[in-house]
Amino acid sequence: MSTVTGTTWNCYDSATMTPREIYGRTLAEMAKTNDKIVGLTADLAKTTAIVHFADAFPDRFFNVGIAEQNLFGVAAGLAKVGLIPFASTMAVFASMRACEQVRTDIAYQNLPVKIIGTHAGISFGHAGTTHHCTEDLAIMRSIANMTVICPADGTETSLAVRACLDIPGPVYIRIGRGFEPPCYPDENYGFTIGKAIEMVPGTDITIICCGIAVLQSIQAAKTLLEQDGISVRVINMHTIKPIDKEAILKAVKETRRILTIEEHNVEGGLGDAVAGVIAESGMGCVFKKHGLNDEFATIGYAEDLYTHYGLDADGIVDQVRSLMGREYEADEDWEDE
Amino acid sequence: MPCTPEEKQRLQKIARDLRLTIIDVMAWSGGAHVGGSLSIVELLTALYFKYLNVDPEQPWWEDRDRFVLSKGHGAAGFIPVLAKRGFIPEEELKTFNHFGSPFAMHPDSNKIVGCDASTGSLGHGLSMAVGMGLGARYLKKEFKTVCLLGDGECCEGSVWEAAMALSNFKLTNVITIVDRNRLMIDGFTEDVMALEPFADKWRSFGLELIEIDGHDFDQICEALDKAWNAKEKPVIILANTVKGKGVDFMENNVVWHYASADSELCEKAKASILNS
Ligand SMILES: Cc1ncc(C[n+]2csc(CCOP(=O)(O)OP(=O)(O)O)c2C)c(N)n1
């Protein structure tokens, strides 16, 4: 088993390459030292950038044609004979078209299939609703044995792709269309699956976010500090499952206000995962889930949609301001919990 | 004769105008599935300007013929046809892909007048067409349902589930057309996932197969005439086409599956269309 801790090699340029490009190259790099890694796609080799792996290792790359159910069934079979399949297609097809293959063939049998879902959220907004994917976190999170990761940028995608080899079971990694700007300057920030990262320290309110919302939240935090004097903590919850309960509860205790931001329906995704942790703890706080409000997104290029749905820095600033005015019930017994 | 010389000329003129509009849509939208839109121009033209009983004045008239673009990424070809046929203002095509537009890279029946099904996830259309055919029969309605698929799309198992149902239910009121341009995204169908013997596969599912040149109006009309009058077995039209048809540098070139082009290249494309 390989481990990512202390890895320093770089096979990409995170400033100019897209997360899916980085994924493809990282996978090709990993495969050099691990001959158990096999790659699969369903007529989306170029689109999901697994083509870099395909070019380097044609004998262990399988393109099953436009057949996503077959894709994940075949991946399960490869895993059954001891291989580690990385299967990539668009998030909408991985999570919904092939949902039962993912659930029963892969997750139930607890096979080490690594699923890379690209064009997630509304990143492919101009493709229309058939290609939007604002349900995958909820679906994947509800499947037992599944680890669910939503990296913030290309650097984190590369780290997640390497780290998921250490997970014995299935992993779902959700990435966008690939034009997301970088969040991290380098990869030496201690990425560990299941451990949230504090991006900005803060004491008045905590934003818990993932994916593209991380960079936007960092920018929002800056604006809020400068303009309103509000001290915003930003937590990158890159692993949706298993979720970092400790980081959530610490934030509740220390900031008493929690705002979750996700490029996903507010039903069932990151926000609900965080809400569950808080509710079970018995602690009270101001809480809001922000994302797509149980609606199908409209048509448009991603940047326009992010603005429209308030998923950009300005939208997040508005959300924080409205939460700062809300009261929470003081609870003297918190220290004992 | 299914198609008179005058009619053929009329259809050819429409087809050429549509090709020019597809290039405009590629420019306005910032990117389009241009190859697979150009390959279906004659098929869509024959359907919307000769065969389908539809009425832009009453777009949701319940006895209209239905059309399902199962290869939804052909929207850049299909939506201009709806505009030319009078369902939507041509001017609106300029909003393609942009914020709040009814038009995206895949057609949306919630938003587009005259569009019978939201498609784009491949392999769904033929099942919906089966449902429309069964419904028409039960409701004692005469309308036909036409479903247009991509050849790469036929990798999806669901296509064959629907084919089995077409034959099982003897749905002669459903007409299947496959755009056999031999390309998908990652290359030629026969290199990525071989479909051949493709015609035999369809026949063995119990359908009557008619193979044609999908850019030849005589052959298209002859096939559609037969399909419209099918009594025994449902008809599938296997239309051999060229991806990127009409633009010399796009023809048969997988790079143009989904692409954008600057104004210079768009002009070149238009010149090629006008010359062909
Ligand atoms: C279920 C599903 N999987 C993958 C895609 C992505 N995709 C869009 S077009 C395309 C290739 C389609 O090939 P084909 O049906 O031959 O159409 P054409 O070559 O005529 O464009 C693919 C894989 C999709 N839209 N739906």
Side-chain angles (χ1 to χ4, degrees), chain A residues 42-44 47 65-68 89-90 92-93 97 124 130-131, chain B residues 33-37 39-40 70-74 105-106 119-124 149-156 158 178-187 189 195 241 243 254 256-258:
Chain A
D43 196 32
L44 290 174
T47 316
I66 311 168
E68 295 75 15
T89 182
M90 290 182 192
V92 66
F93 309 132
R97 182 55 155 274
F124 206 13
T130 54
H131 284 61
Chain B
H33 288 98
V34 62
S37 292
S39 65
I40 56 177
S70 193
K71 50 169 282 185
H73 62 282
M105 281 159 47
H106 304 91
T119 51
S121 180
L122 295 167
H124 292 217
L149 298 110
D151 51 359
E153 179 180 7
C154 296
C155 297
E156 292 284 2
S158 54
V178 175
D179 172 25
R180 181 76 170 116
N181 60 30
R182 298 190 163 263
L183 280 167
M184 44 214 284
I185 289 186
D186 284 335
T189 57
L195 295 169
T241 60
K243 199 158 175 170
V254 76
W256 293 93
H257 172 80
Y258 175 80

Side-chain angles (χ1 to χ4, degrees), chain A residues 111-166:
Chain A
L111 298 172
V113 176
K114 316 302 174 187
I115 303 165
I116 283 69
T118 66
H119 299 68
I122 47 178
S123 64
F124 206 13
H126 61 289
T129 312
T130 54
H131 284 61
H132 297 168
C133 184
T134 52
E135 302 87 357
D136 57 331
L137 294 178
I139 292 167
M140 292 295 182
R141 188 167 86 82
S142 71
I143 297 177
N145 290 340
M146 185 67 75
T147 295
V148 182
I149 305 175
C150 179
D153 69 355
T155 298
E156 196 157 83
T157 301
S158 175
L159 288 164
V161 167
R162 280 178 270 159
C164 75
L165 266 189
D166 295 344

Side-chain angles (χ1 to χ4, degrees), chain B residues 8-253:
Chain B
K8 189 168 157 183
Q9 245 184 357
R10 180 181 70 97
L11 294 175
Q12 279 169 338
K13 161 103 180 48
I14 295 172
R16 199 188 54 188
D17 290 349
L18 283 170
R19 287 209 158 84
L20 296 173
T21 310
I22 290 173
I23 301 303
D24 282 333
V25 165
M26 176 172 65
W28 294 327
S29 63
H33 288 98
V34 62
S37 292
L38 289 167
S39 65
I40 56 177
V41 166
E42 280 80 9
L43 295 166
L44 291 172
T45 302
L47 287 167
Y48 273 89
F49 291 89
K50 182 165 158 70
Y51 286 90
L52 292 175
N53 187 15
V54 290
D55 179 4
E57 296 297 315
Q58 31 173 354
W60 307 121
W61 167 46
E62 46 176 63
D63 291 323
R64 72 187 185 281
D65 289 335
R66 305 302 202 272
F67 175 71
V68 179
L69 182 70
S70 193
K71 50 169 282 185
H73 62 282
F78 172 54
I79 296 169
V81 172
L82 290 180
K84 204 165 180 53
R85 189 68 172 76
F87 285 95
I88 42 185
E90 296 213 43
E91 191 56 28
E92 259 192 60
L93 295 178
K94 292 188 174 153
T95 67
F96 223 101
N97 277 6
H98 295 290
F99 180 70
S101 173
F103 317 128
M105 281 159 47
H106 304 91
D108 186 328
S109 62
N110 294 1
K111 302 189 174 93
I112 303 170
V113 177
C115 171
D116 289 316
S118 296
T119 51
S121 180
L122 295 167
H124 292 217
L126 198 54
S127 296
M128 285 194 268
V130 167
M132 292 174 184
L134 285 171
R137 181 187 284 169
Y138 170 67
L139 296 167
K140 299 201 169 33
K141 289 193 177 290
E142 293 299 314
F143 70 79
K144 305 280 185 194
T145 300
V146 179
C147 180
L148 177 56
L149 298 110
D151 51 359
E153 179 180 7
C154 296
C155 297
E156 292 284 2
S158 54
V159 170
W160 302 98
E161 295 171 24
M164 207 180 312
L166 277 176
S167 153
N168 178 71
F169 296 123
K170 298 193 173 50
L171 287 175
T172 48
N173 60 357
V174 177
I175 296 155
T176 308
I177 307 176
V178 175
D179 172 25
R180 181 76 170 116
N181 60 30
R182 298 190 163 263
L183 280 167
M184 44 214 284
I185 289 186
D186 284 335
F188 287 100
T189 57
E190 298 318 289
D191 296 335
V192 177
M193 181 55 61
L195 295 169
E196 295 295 343
F198 198 38
D200 289 347
K201 287 194 172 81
W202 286 101
R203 288 196 189 98
S204 73
F205 271 73
L207 305 191
E208 161 123 17
L209 183 130
I210 306 174
E211 187 163 356
I212 60 164
D213 173 344
H215 300 303
D216 181 322
F217 281 113
D218 290 322
Q219 294 188 35
I220 294 171
C221 294
E222 199 176 323
L224 285 173
D225 271 357
K226 271 193 210 154
W228 237 262
N229 294 306
K231 293 279 177 299
E232 300 290 316
K233 290 177 174 183
V235 167
I236 165 166
I237 299 171
L238 185 58
N240 291 306
T241 60
V242 175
K243 199 158 175 170
K245 174 74 177 177
V247 179
D248 49 11
F249 60 89
M250 293 184 184
E251 287 191 359
N252 236 339
N253 184 347

Side-chain angles (χ1 to χ4, degrees), chain A residues 18-28 41 44-54 61 88 118-119 175:
Chain A
T18 64
R20 61 187 158 128
E21 193 66 23
I22 291 170
Y23 152 65
R25 290 185 193 268
T26 303
L27 189 59
T41 191
L44 290 174
K46 282 175 280 184
T47 316
T48 65
I50 199 172
V51 67
H52 297 297
F53 173 91
F61 173 73
S88 53
T118 66
H119 299 68
I175 59 182

